[in-house]
Structure formats: C-alpha cells, structure tokens
Amino acid sequence: MTRVVIIGGGPGGYEAALVGAQLGVEVTLVEATGMGGAAVLTDCVPSKTLIATAEVMTMIENSAELGLKIFSGEDENVASSVHVDLAALNQRVLALAKAQSDSIRAKLDRSGVRVIHGWARLDGPQAVIVEAEGTSERIEADIVLLAVGTTPRELDTAKCDGERILNWKQVYNLCELPEKLIVVGSGVTGAEFASAYDALGVDVVLISSRDQVLPGEDSDAAGVLQAVFERKGMEIYSRSRAVAARREGDEVVVSLEDGREVRGSHCLMAVGSIPNTVGIGLAEAGIELAPSGHIQVDRVSRTTARGVYAAGDCTGVFALASVAAMQGRIAMWHSLGDAVQPLELGSVSSNVFTAPEIATVGMTQKQIDASGLKVAKVTLPLAGNARAKMKGFTDGFVKLYCLPVTGIIVGGVVVAPQASELIHSISLAVAEKITVDDFSDDFTVYPSMSGSIAEAARMLHLHSHPEAENASNTQV
C-alpha cells in the first residue's frame, strides 16, 4: 500500500490527509500542537471569532441612527449601555478554537488517518523521523507532504513577552481591554486587529510604514478604510517605521525610526511571519527554498525533491487557509494519480475582516497597470444602495473589471459589511468567464447589497460591444 506522511495538521495538512484516506492509501499525519494548526488554534478561527463580537459592537454603535434607545428613555444611546467583558470573550474564542480542532481530529480518526502528536523532520526525501512522548520513530514514505506553517515575525529590539508586547497568537491571554493599544503594522493582520479593538472600545494607535493602511490591497478600498479609521478617531502614524518596543512599568514605549516615541498600555506586533522551515532536513532532502525561507513549489504543490510536496503558508504562495487546503488536496490528487487541475490563483477570493470588510477576486488594478491589458472598469459607491441606506451604511463600493469586446468579468472588489459573502457571485463570474451582460441578466433581490453588483455589471454593458475595443481602464 502507498504510504503518505504529512507533517503539519493545518488546513493544507488535514485536507490532504482526508483526500489520501478517501483514495485508500495509508496516511500518517504528525502535528505538534493540535489539529487545525495555527489557522484553527491561534490565527484564523480565533481572530474571526473576536471580530464577530467587534461586528456586533459596530452595529450597536450605529444603533442611534436606526432609532434605537435604551429602554429607560434617557438620552444615553444603546452603545453607552454595553461594555465588553474581554475575559469572557477570549474564553469563548479559545473554546471555539478547541472545539473546531477536536472536530477535525474526530473526522481524521473516522477516516482512518493515523495522527501522531509530536515533532517531525525529514530523513531524506522518503522517510520522516518523528519525536513523540519521549520516543523516536522512523517512518518510511512513498509521498511526503510538508505543511509546516509560519511563526509571527519578531524584531530583536521588540521581543514579545505575552503580557504587554504581544504577537497575534498572544492577544487571547488578555483578561481586560487595553487602555491604549499600539498596533505596529498596517497589513491585513494589523488592520483587522486595529479595527476589532477600536470597535470594542479601545483607544487604538496604528503605526504604518506606508502612505496608507493595507498597502497590498486595492488602493481605493484601502483609502475607504483609512478614512473610516480616522473618522472614528483612530490615530494613524503613516510613513512611520517602528524600530523598537520596550516596557516601562505599566506602559509600552514604541520607538520610531525618526526618533519619535509612542506610548500605550499594550503593543501588538503585526510585522509579518517567517516560515517554519529551519532544522527539519529540507536541504539534505534536496528541497530548494526561496531567499525568504519559503518552500518553492509548482502549481501542483511539488517541491524540487521527488515525492515531496508542500502546502500552506510555508510555501509563500498565498497566505490563506482556503489556498492551503486546495494546495494540500492538489498534492494528494497529483501524487496518487487522480485527476487534478493545477492551482489557479486568478480565481482565489480573499477578504480583509475589518469594518467595513474588503473582498477581492481576480485581476487587480496593479496587475492591469503592469500588464498593459485593455480592461474596462466601473466603480459604484454603495451609498446609493437602498439596503445600505436602510442599514445606515455609507462607506464602500463595488468595483468590476471586464475585458472590452467580450465583456468577460476578470476581477472585482467589494467594500461593505459582509463583503466576504458578497464576493462569491463575482468569484463565480471570474472562474466561469461570465460576461457582464450574462451576469446582469440574472435576478437579484430588491432591496439587497448584491443588487449593486448587478448594477455595476449593467453599467459595463457598452464595453462589451465592438465599438468599445479601444476602452482601457475606463472609470464610469
């Protein structure tokens, strides 16, 4: 029987294990912390659970506009009568993460996957050494999948202590809301936590080395989010690089490159991550790494060593749980001779869980500008959407890109509450090469936020006609 060994129990690892078991091979999965890996235990599931509470607080904050007051009829608004019990919130966060991890473990057990709680390293390309509970075991393998994940990056001058200076894995240890939280880093992780803690009532300072938050996202979308942050009173240090952080009693002092200092009660370091690829025998097995330390893979998840595959954040392909899971499945399908379609990043949808959310799929403006392709676009503000008015929402837009002449939708951006749900129709359009005319012919509910997506498609109707052949980056 074919023997598969998987190192790492995150989405890439456990999804691959389930595919291998389904195809009837012998699967061993080695995980050091818990099933689901960082995505379930310390990253994605916990952070989005925290954000779910923050979303409720955002709704409560806007309740006065909707005509809601506290029952006594006094002038106090609803938001002033609600406070956050962070200890209870974080207890719920960790409980949900554990429940999800236990559910994954139970599913693997039912599927016949052998799960080992321990550490593993390669012993050449076709064997793995496992250290578990004081014992060592060498397991031979026909196929190896590496899904070893990443670790939060730390500055040598800003070591996280888990009390006042924190990385995103440690914030769930807090029992009380920070008096003033300094968030270092304005990428997706930094922006999400800054948005969440601001909604929970914390005084947040965001330190960004770039001109505006979310430098890797659509610039128009990032501009909306920064405007929302500033309107809500968040202090943003743009074009400011943090070089150190230290504790002074009950304060944290963050030093900036230009000599300024920022003081707060706590500091969250969100300055990227590093792959867990050191000391696990990769070079000895003939596996090439990128200069960043990530494992180099092709579109079917193969490494440079025969029979060794890799999936997830350790590959540096796209740091999303959905991509990790697909890489893991593709690795198993390909290695076991099943039908497989190589990974297509152009159809991957992603979301930034801020308030409002930012969801994207397909081609971006940066890619369009770099490629020189003739692409038509429309940007439709959601302030005119009937459902948005009813919900008291004024920030956000829908943006669609299509090819001229054919009218095929090639990308889109949604900035709105629950953008993560709204992006799916655009994802389908991109993946199935649907035209703006076909897309706009399908019914939407009235009133609905999704109605604006169809309206944006209708606004691109003229660009699917031959006379629009010269259209390029048209703003409607």
Side-chain angles (χ1 to χ4, degrees), residues 387-401:
R387 187 71 183 276
K389 294 176 182 177
M390 296 169 190
K391 296 170 72 70
F393 172 69
T394 58
D395 304 294
F397 60 80
V398 169
K399 182 188 292 187
L400 286 183
Y401 298 101

Side-chain angles (χ1 to χ4, degrees), residues 169-206:
K169 295 177 182 289
Q170 299 169 333
V171 294
Y172 311 107
N173 298 329
L174 296 176
C175 294
E176 295 182 355
L177 288 174
E179 182 179 337
K180 184 176 183 179
L181 176 65
I182 304 169
V183 178
V184 177
S186 63
V188 172
T189 300
E192 287 186 345
F193 277 107
S195 179
Y197 277 97
D198 178 75
L200 296 177
V202 175
D203 183 9
V204 176
V205 177
L206 181 60

Side-chain angles (χ1 to χ4, degrees), residues 352-364:
V352 184
F353 289 86
T354 48
E357 294 181 2
I358 299 173
T360 58
V361 68
M363 294 194 73
T364 66

Side-chain angles (χ1 to χ4, degrees), residues 379-425:
T379 301
L380 179 63
L382 289 180
N385 178 284
R387 187 71 183 276
K389 294 176 182 177
M390 296 169 190
K391 296 170 72 70
F393 172 69
T394 58
D395 304 294
F397 60 80
V398 169
K399 182 188 292 187
L400 286 183
Y401 298 101
C402 79
L403 298 177
V405 183
T406 63
I408 292 173
I409 297 172
V410 293
V413 182
V414 178
V415 181
Q418 302 298 314
S420 51
E421 307 294 342
L422 295 170
I423 197 66
H424 186 237
S425 61

Side-chain angles (χ1 to χ4, degrees), residues 24 116 170 183 214 223 225 241 277 305 338 439:
I116 301 176
Q170 299 169 333
V183 178
L214 295 175
L225 185 63
R241 186 176 299 277
T277 53
D338 205 353
F439 189 91

Side-chain angles (χ1 to χ4, degrees), residues 33 57 91 100 282 401 408-409 441:
T33 54
M57 291 300 292
Q91 185 179 19
Q100 181 69 6
L282 301 187
Y401 298 101
I408 292 173
I409 297 172
D441 282 345

